[in-house]
Amino acid sequence: MTPPPGTSGTPLRVAVVGSGPAGFYAAEHLLRSEEHDFEVDVFDRLPTPFGLVRAGVAPDHPKIKSVIRVYEKTAAREGFRFFGNVEVGRDVSAGELADHYNAVIYAYGAPTDRHLGIPGEDLPGSHAATEFVAWYNAHPDFADREFDLSCERAVVIGNGNVATDVARMLGLNREELEATDTAEHAIDPLADNGIKEILVLGRRGPAQAAFTNPELRELGEMIDADIDVDPADVELDALSREFLESDDADITTRKNVEIFNAFATQQSEGKPRRIVLRFLRSPVEIQGDGKVERIVVARNELHRDESGAIRPRDTGERETIECGIVFRAVGYKGIGLDGVPFDERRGVIPNEGGRIVDESGAQVPGQYAVGWIKRGPSGVIGTNKKDAQETVDNLVEDAAADRVPEAAGAADRMAIVELLTERAPDHVTFEGWQGIDVAEQERGKPLGRPRVKFVRVDEMLDAARGAAVSG
Ligand code: NAP
């Protein structure tokens, strides 16, 4: 008699689509499960794993990137396989995954950016910050982007951590950049950039900024950039004061306000650049003759909306600011995948605790979501650990209640490999990735850099094949 699914004779087979933090934490929770025996295959569209830890975290934050060691331990567990350079939706469909696995966990994040919806947003020189981030992090899809950093003033829209990353990267000097794994193609343009002022605009006030404390504090500790905050700009309005004094204000917000106040008293040290933070300003139009030359901003005041949230409201007052480049750091956005339910408005896969639900609210058997595509683009890397735990707990509960489908192809672990050999013959295993990893580090050694990243998929595949041959 065949043992029941989920026991060591017939493990439950799970596909995880996306190899960023959420995908890796989901894999880890499954492979550590004491209730069931799982085998996990993690897919990624790129030959390289780790999602935004590789292509999003700023290069001057190596400590944050060291979380990769945790993921490497997951990858070393029995029952784990990685299939890189496989795009779900192109090389294999969601339906085919459902045929080959008892469960599929979607963990593909929020790959695009939110828009401002203002005139001039698409002028040359107006960029999604997410694309700039991907470019300086050597994401292959963005390697050929060009950013003209010759102007004197750059404007960064948004008060989240991506805005701080962009502001910092524009303010690092050559020596600082060369100590990082910044894409080779980005080092000269960043190090030689002509920008004297990096102006960061928040549409609400200091007490509503989305920065986390260490990221904000760093802006005041740049070697080659002064921080510049007008004391009048950090004076809180009555609503913000009331909020800050209430139990609703968290410690991060209170601390942020303290840091802004400290910035406002910080004297300029005459450094080559300055990072200026201004609040209650919303972009209303980006203008210029064929490229960005200026931005028109509205002056806002704060009010409480019907739900009680503190929102910005246009006062009607306008200001025009000369600038040569604009980075829109107003958030990432999820996109849909054929064959998987999607909530266009929220940019997430509709789900209840990670269980994917269809339009009628019914659970789609065997389909789950984790990370940004589950909850939206919020939180730090560690947030995904708990998030993935919730989904995996629900998956385990479903398995125990016999609610996980008996997929026809799940019994044969090699069936998916056969399919991939046909559809995506250049797929990369975790061993292949390790070959890429070693090769990148070797390239960095003569330059005293942690690694020099490959930016072309072909180069990555060559390095992966080298590992397969020598391994
Ligand atoms: P975010 O934290 O959501 O910040 C987005 C910012 O854009 C907010 O200040 C928001 O203002 C503003 N915004 C939205 N729509 C706007 C509009 N139409 N006009 C003007 N401003 C607008 O997003 P993020 O910076 O992209 O970061 C995404 C997530 O990754 C966050 O959870 C972040 O903490 C995380 N992250 C962490 C690190 C790190 O830990 N070092 C680094 C990078 C990113 P409102 O608040 O008024 O909506």
Side-chain angles (χ1 to χ4, degrees):
M1 205 180 86
T2 333
T7 56
S8 61
T10 50
L12 281 170
R13 306 212 44 251
V14 181
V16 175
V17 180
S19 69
F24 261 95
Y25 289 125
E28 174 68 13
H29 295 321
L30 288 167
L31 293 170
R32 284 175 62 161
S33 167
E34 287 174 4
E35 287 95 338
H36 292 278
D37 213 22
F38 286 103
E39 283 179 353
V40 180
D41 290 345
V42 176
F43 292 78
D44 204 291
R45 167 173 107 65
L46 293 181
T48 53
F50 312 136
L52 282 180
V53 177
R54 178 175 162 97
V57 170
D60 64 332
H61 278 169
K63 270 203 194 133
I64 298 183
K65 286 179 199 258
S66 65
V67 70
I68 282 176
R69 301 220 183 87
V70 174
Y71 308 148
E72 285 170 341
K73 287 198 181 129
T74 302
R77 284 186 183 275
E78 211 184 311
F80 177 96
R81 293 188 300 190
F82 175 67
F83 297 118
N85 202 27
V86 178
E87 186 169 335
V88 174
R90 183 194 64 189
D91 301 320
V92 284
S93 67
E96 284 167 330
L97 286 185
D99 288 342
H100 283 82
Y101 295 90
N102 301 107
V104 183
I105 301 183
Y106 289 96
Y108 63 86
T112 179
D113 63 294
R114 287 181 53 194
H115 291 248
L116 289 170
I118 59 168
E121 184 164 13
D122 296 322
L123 268 180
S126 163
H127 304 280
T130 53
E131 298 189 1
F132 184 57
V133 168
W135 170 76
Y136 66 58
N137 272 320
H139 189 299
D141 293 356
F142 298 89
D144 296 322
R145 292 298 160 96
E146 283 181 13
F147 297 90
D148 180 356
L149 305 175
S150 61
C151 58
E152 293 216 347
R153 182 183 290 121
V155 171
V156 184
I157 317 272
N159 268 187
N161 283 335
V162 169
T164 66
D165 283 347
V166 168
R168 238 182 25 260
M169 289 301 290
L170 291 172
L172 293 179
N173 63 35
R174 179 174 291 277
E175 202 182 326
E176 290 174 291
L177 286 164
E178 285 180 344
T180 71
D181 66 0
T182 301
E184 199 67 348
H185 57 236
I187 299 253
D188 282 347
L190 286 171
D192 300 335
N193 86 61
I195 297 166
K196 301 270 180 294
E197 182 180 304
I198 303 148
L199 174 59
V200 182
L201 298 179
R203 65 174 167 181
R204 296 190 287 161
Q208 290 81 33
F211 306 128
T212 46
N213 302 146
E215 280 64 28
L216 175 59
R217 205 173 283 116
E218 268 178 302
L219 294 183
E221 297 166 349
M222 301 285 295
I223 295 176
D224 272 350
D226 280 316
I227 186 78
D228 184 336
V229 177
D230 181 348
D233 230 25
V234 289
E235 247 172 56
L236 298 183
D237 63 304
L239 267 185
S240 298
R241 273 202 310 276
E242 178 196 308
F243 168 73
L244 218 55
E245 283 158 16
S246 74
D247 293 338
D248 296 339
D250 62 12
I251 180 106
T252 300
T253 304
R254 290 175 207 272
K255 203 88 212 157
N256 270 352
V257 171
E258 275 174 41
I259 299 169
F260 289 128
N261 278 300
F263 284 170
T265 61
Q266 210 160 306
Q267 293 299 313
S268 160
E269 294 176 33
K271 294 176 183 175
R273 305 186 214 276
R274 56 193 198 125
I275 297 175
V276 183
L277 308 182
R278 291 177 73 192
F279 302 96
L280 295 171
R281 305 289 195 292
S282 277
V284 289
E285 183 168 359
I286 300 172
Q287 297 177 340
D289 189 4
K291 63 178 175 54
V292 172
E293 290 173 0
R294 69 198 85 85
I295 183 165
V296 182
V297 297
R299 166 112 204 189
N300 296 330
E301 60 188 7
L302 297 178
H303 73 115
R304 274 194 197 276
D305 67 12
E306 320 75 60
S307 72
I310 299 180
R311 310 286 318 151
R313 179 164 58 199
D314 187 354
T315 60
E317 205 182 303
R318 296 285 180 270
E319 185 184 350
T320 301
I321 302 167
E322 303 290 317
C323 61
I325 194 162
V326 172
F327 296 100
R328 308 176 315 258
V330 296
Y332 286 80
K333 191 167 186 295
I335 52 176
L337 185 65
D338 266 354
V340 183
F342 191 65
D343 179 339
E344 287 288 348
R345 194 185 56 81
R346 294 184 53 222
V348 299
I349 299 178
N351 69 91
E352 281 167 19
R355 290 178 171 116
I356 297 181
V357 296
D358 64 17
E359 269 174 25
S360 70
Q363 181 180 356
V364 183
Q367 295 202 15
Y368 300 85
V370 291
W372 280 6
I373 201 62
K374 168 187 173 187
R375 68 174 194 274
S378 65
V380 293
I381 291 168
T383 314
N384 296 296
K385 195 170 177 185
K386 209 166 142 227
D387 175 293
Q389 186 71 63
E390 179 191 48
T391 296
V392 168
D393 285 350
N394 285 332
L395 194 162
V396 167
E397 193 181 295
D398 291 347
D402 238 356
R403 284 198 298 261
V404 168
E406 265 186 51
D412 178 3
R413 197 172 186 229
M414 291 313 286
I416 189 74
V417 179
E418 280 160 26
L419 185 69
L420 292 181
T421 306
E422 189 189 306
R423 303 274 185 78
D426 284 330
H427 65 266
V428 174
T429 61
F430 203 76
E431 188 191 35
W433 149 246
Q434 286 169 321
I436 298 171
D437 189 22
V438 168
E440 287 186 345
Q441 292 181 44
E442 286 300 321
R443 278 154 51 100
K445 274 185 189 153
L447 304 168
R449 303 188 55 203
R451 70 175 63 234
V452 172
K453 285 180 173 176
F454 293 115
V455 288
R456 305 282 165 204
V457 167
D458 283 348
E459 296 174 314
M460 296 178 195
L461 296 182
D462 282 347
R465 279 189 212 105
V469 170
S470 64

